[in-house]
Amino acid sequence: MKDLTIKKLTELIMQQAKEKGFGTKPDEINVAEKIALIHSEVSEAFEAYRHKDFDGQDGFKMELGDVVSRVLHLAGIMDI
């Protein structure tokens, strides 16, 4: 995807969230829970980095991708 912008990526994440039954509107989510999930993903990325585990299912790259996905999901919900 040559011209993938943050806005387009957020739209794709929001579409995926809708398909999976995740919240897509502020009244459908618990913001504190979403922030806690972001924090959890950051912690998992940090642990993978500390252990020099960069690739694979629980590696740094994958965990950092999860962080981005969760942040953009929350941003999309809040129309940021």
Side-chain angles (χ1 to χ4, degrees):
M1 290 188 197
K2 181 180 171 190
D3 297 323
L4 186 61
T5 64
I6 290 176
K7 180 177 174 148
K8 181 62 178 171
L9 184 55
T10 301
E11 290 170 2
L12 291 170
I13 289 169
M14 293 303 290
Q15 181 176 342
Q16 182 183 44
K18 185 176 183 178
E19 291 168 1
K20 292 188 174 198
F22 300 152
T24 57
K25 298 176 185 149
D27 63 340
E28 297 174 346
I29 64 152
N30 179 321
V31 173
E33 181 180 290
K34 294 297 181 189
I35 291 171
L37 289 169
I38 292 166
H39 180 272
S40 174
E41 296 294 355
V42 170
S43 295
E44 290 172 6
F46 176 67
E47 284 302 308
Y49 179 80
R50 263 184 3 104
H51 291 103
K52 299 184 183 343
D53 179 10
F54 295 101
D55 298 304
Q57 186 64 25
D58 296 319
F60 178 73
K61 294 174 185 177
M62 184 69 77
E63 297 298 345
L64 203 57
D66 291 345
V67 171
V68 171
S69 179
R70 289 195 183 276
V71 167
L72 291 179
H73 179 220
L74 182 56
I77 289 169
M78 304 307 283
D79 197 28
I80 298 172

